[in-house]
Amino acid sequence: MIILLCLSAFSLLVPAARAQRSLSGETRTRLALEKLNVLGSVLMIAAHPDDENTALLAYFARGRKCETAYLSMTRGEGGQNLLGPEQGDLLGVIRTQELLAARQIDGAQQFFTRAIDFGFSKSSDETLAKWGRERALADVVWTIRRFRPDIIVMVFTGTPRDGHGHHQSSGLLAKEAFTAAADPARFPEQLRWVRPWQPKRVLWNVFYWARDRQRLLKEYPRHVVVDTGEFDPILGYSFAEIAGMSRSMHRTQGFGAPERKGRMENFLVTVLGEPATRDLFDGIDTTWGRLPGGVPIGSILAEAARSFLPEHPEQTVTLLLRARPMIAAIRDPWAEAKLRELDEAIALCTGLWLDASADRYEAVPGASVTVDATILNRSRLPLKLAGVSIEGAASRQAVESSPAPLAYNEPVRRTVTINLPADQPYSQPFWLRTPKDGGFYNIESQEMVNLADTPPVLTARFRVVIGSGTVELVRPVSYRYVDRVKGEQVRPFVVVPPVAVEVSEPVRLFPDMQARRIGVLLKAKIAGA
């Protein structure tokens, strides 16, 4: 039965829904360049998948170009399923993938706590008793310290007016974590990886779906208004339209949403911290000026975005390379994040296409896997491949140690064989690897606590020389194939048991204590198993 559960959960690692409209070309590159010059961050907190305000997430991520994330307390295991029979843990796996598909559209990141959705709860007292108040708070504090948001947006108030006990609890914990995250005496075991962090303020998004918002706003006369119906000519949509696309990814919940046009006001009031009066980022420096030595970097990156030519994006690379060593010299989480963004922006401007494909989509522990790493330079710039390494699965193996020129539009391929360890864990959602502790998942690694999805088994790290600089770009090792109906498809590379076991009848009732014969289907993943 354990093998069956592993396989059932693994089969849902393939995304449940593909994002319907992804950014590409000029729009994607222009937004990446503009985002390089924004050092502001927002964390939205609520209880379940589908609680988030996708219009506001799109406004922050796509419009303000901030680092934006949604923290869902649960993975939605206690919800309903319009599409199939999966419930509980498996529904949580599906809804996780639905959220990731939504985030691809609205541009935000996705986080979770270890708390489990156990269905409708009448009060926060009941919810926090099942979750464990301190351990749920610890997960919210961990996310704040790790993500370092300037502002926190609560979807719920933390009061009985929220209804569902999970909703109430998300608001309560958001307010408690605002103070606890800045206190080194709270959850000091986390300080091995992160530092205390104090957001500037906590805002409540005044029940953006409520019909009686005007009545509620009379209780909070000082608020900031954000029009998510504002049209963005670069994106070609308003943020409310993007929200409709994003929210429609919640398919198991039947949440197909309209792409609303026209004015759509969101009201936000300060609950904790310094009040915002004119703008949500009042009193927060979201420029490079917040870092020592950052002002010259901001000037260079502003010029890169201003001088960007869609017909010749490669001309922007010189400015980006000038800023790179300056960013690398700053020891700050913001600089580290922006350095990764800068390398990806350089890849966009040079038209670099990088791929790492396994020769099959699954393998058993101890097996050998052949990986083809491909890099394609689609610019006229003289680039060189400095090397590729395959990482993960207790392995790091260099594929190419000497530079290789990357001629225009000519793919360069390197092939390596990776021997998976005999004790390589099977692929499955990482939060399901160990038995649950009541209303909480047990996750052995602290660094994985708030992650949305299981990291890939293998990744490929490409090092590319551009002029006098070197950039690093990481891509997951996956399996690429062609479906006769859907065309080219990509699925994760996974590690599976040597033998799969499927019970013919998932549920069977016995009228007495007599022994019965039950058939099972065995499928070998290797010859002679």
Side-chain angles (χ1 to χ4, degrees):
M1 292 299 292
I2 293 177
I3 294 178
L4 175 63
L5 175 60
C6 291
L7 287 179
S8 298
F10 145 70
S11 66
L12 295 170
L13 286 172
V14 180
R18 179 183 293 272
Q20 44 189 330
R21 295 170 206 178
S22 300
L23 297 177
S24 62
E26 176 187 352
T27 298
R28 183 181 179 189
T29 305
R30 186 181 296 278
L31 290 181
L33 292 173
E34 292 176 355
K35 187 182 177 185
L36 286 173
N37 233 0
V38 179
L39 280 70
S41 53
V42 183
L43 178 65
M44 182 177 290
I45 301 177
H48 310 108
D50 71 44
D51 283 344
E52 77 275 28
N53 182 344
T54 50
L56 204 56
L57 290 176
Y59 164 78
F60 283 121
R62 301 295 194 198
R64 299 289 294 264
K65 284 84 176 178
C66 298
E67 289 295 327
T68 307
Y70 172 48
L71 172 61
S72 177
M73 294 299 300
T74 73
R75 296 178 184 266
E77 302 89 341
Q80 303 303 309
N81 188 354
L82 179 68
L83 302 182
E86 294 85 4
Q87 293 293 322
D89 292 344
L90 296 186
L91 178 58
V93 175
I94 296 175
R95 295 188 74 182
T96 294
Q97 295 300 325
E98 290 178 334
L99 270 182
L100 291 172
R103 297 295 82 83
Q104 288 180 30
I105 296 172
D106 57 44
Q109 300 177 52
Q110 183 62 52
F111 300 127
F112 293 97
T113 75
R114 292 171 289 178
I116 298 172
D117 179 357
F118 55 84
F120 185 78
S121 175
K122 295 180 179 180
S123 69
S124 59
D125 289 341
E126 177 191 33
T127 296
L128 294 175
K130 288 182 178 290
W131 288 350
R133 189 184 195 110
E134 280 298 291
R135 60 186 183 182
L137 176 61
D139 283 6
V140 181
V141 167
W142 168 257
T143 303
I144 292 172
R145 287 174 172 173
R146 195 176 195 184
F147 184 64
R148 294 159 46 101
D150 292 314
I151 62 177
I152 293 173
V153 176
M154 301 190 313
V155 175
F156 300 104
T157 63
T159 67
R161 79 192 321 168
D162 301 331
H164 198 314
H166 296 176
H167 294 170
Q168 296 179 45
S169 298
S170 72
L172 283 171
L173 294 170
K175 288 186 282 190
E176 289 184 35
F178 172 76
T179 302
D183 184 355
R186 300 300 307 274
F187 311 110
E189 68 280 0
Q190 297 179 2
L191 302 184
R192 175 183 171 188
W193 298 277
V194 293
R195 301 271 72 84
W197 179 255
Q198 179 65 74
K200 191 76 168 181
R201 60 181 58 94
V202 176
L203 299 148
W204 173 41
N205 185 196
V206 183
F207 289 142
Y208 64 94
W209 65 85
R211 296 179 180 178
D212 59 346
R213 279 184 304 172
Q214 295 302 325
R215 178 184 64 78
L216 291 170
L217 287 171
K218 291 180 180 179
E219 301 179 30
Y220 305 95
R222 298 184 65 180
H223 54 262
V224 176
V225 181
V226 173
D227 179 15
T228 56
E230 183 179 350
F231 178 75
D232 188 309
I234 302 298
L235 296 170
Y237 300 102
S238 71
F239 307 114
E241 288 178 280
I242 295 172
M245 306 172 204
S246 175
R247 194 158 186 80
S248 295
M249 292 294 100
H250 295 299
R251 293 175 179 175
T252 57
Q253 307 306 295
F255 273 5
E259 298 172 18
R260 299 185 185 279
K261 278 78 172 173
R263 189 169 184 81
M264 186 175 176
E265 292 182 327
N266 279 255
F267 304 92
L268 295 105
V269 298
T270 304
V271 176
L272 294 170
E274 295 183 20
T277 56
R278 293 176 299 176
D279 183 80
L280 300 174
F281 286 91
D282 280 348
I284 302 171
D285 187 353
T286 60
T287 73
W288 278 93
R290 74 187 295 171
L291 299 183
V295 172
I297 297 172
S299 299
I300 295 172
L301 295 178
E303 176 60 24
R306 186 168 48 249
S307 61
F308 171 68
L309 294 175
E311 300 86 355
H312 295 286
E314 72 281 357
Q315 294 180 6
T316 307
V317 172
T318 300
L319 287 168
L320 298 180
L321 289 175
R322 188 190 306 172
R324 193 181 192 282
M326 300 168 67
I327 298 174
I330 299 176
R331 294 294 176 259
D332 185 272
W334 265 119
E336 294 170 6
K338 289 300 175 182
L339 190 63
R340 291 190 294 270
E341 289 181 20
L342 183 100
D343 284 355
E344 291 295 341
I346 291 174
L348 289 172
C349 289
T350 55
L352 273 176
W353 185 80
L354 308 106
D355 181 67
S357 297
D359 58 346
R360 55 194 185 278
Y361 70 86
E362 63 179 14
V364 301
S368 297
V369 180
T370 300
V371 177
D372 287 324
T374 305
I375 182 168
L376 176 64
N377 175 18
R378 292 181 285 193
S379 75
R380 301 287 182 178
L381 294 179
L383 310 184
K384 292 182 180 179
L385 175 63
V388 183
S389 60
I390 306 299
E391 304 173 0
S395 170
R396 180 186 177 99
Q397 182 167 343
V399 181
E400 175 68 23
S401 56
S402 59
L406 297 173
Y408 170 70
N409 219 27
E410 292 290 340
V412 173
R413 296 182 175 87
R414 296 292 183 265
T415 301
V416 62
T417 298
I418 297 295
N419 297 315
L420 297 176
D423 59 351
Q424 175 67 28
Y426 302 141
S427 296
Q428 64 170 323
F430 69 89
W431 60 94
L432 297 177
R433 285 176 181 164
T434 57
K436 291 173 282 189
D437 181 8
F440 231 62
Y441 290 118
N442 275 321
I443 298 175
E444 296 176 352
S445 170
Q446 176 66 43
E447 294 180 282
M448 296 181 71
V449 160
N450 66 346
L451 297 187
D453 206 1
T454 306
V457 177
L458 299 169
T459 57
R461 183 179 300 274
F462 296 82
R463 291 183 296 110
V464 182
V465 177
I466 305 176
S468 59
T470 301
V471 302
E472 289 196 355
L473 303 153
V474 178
R475 297 293 183 266
V477 173
S478 55
Y479 176 68
R480 192 175 294 272
Y481 65 103
V482 176
D483 182 276
R484 294 181 63 184
V485 175
K486 299 177 182 179
E488 183 172 302
Q489 302 290 302
V490 179
R491 63 181 298 173
F493 168 74
V494 294
V495 178
V496 299
V499 177
V501 180
E502 182 177 353
V503 181
S504 58
E505 299 172 76
V507 177
R508 185 168 180 178
L509 298 177
F510 294 85
D512 51 45
M513 299 298 293
Q514 297 299 315
R516 266 43 172 209
R517 184 181 298 275
I518 298 177
V520 297
L521 176 65
L522 302 179
K523 183 177 181 180
K525 297 295 183 177
I526 56 174

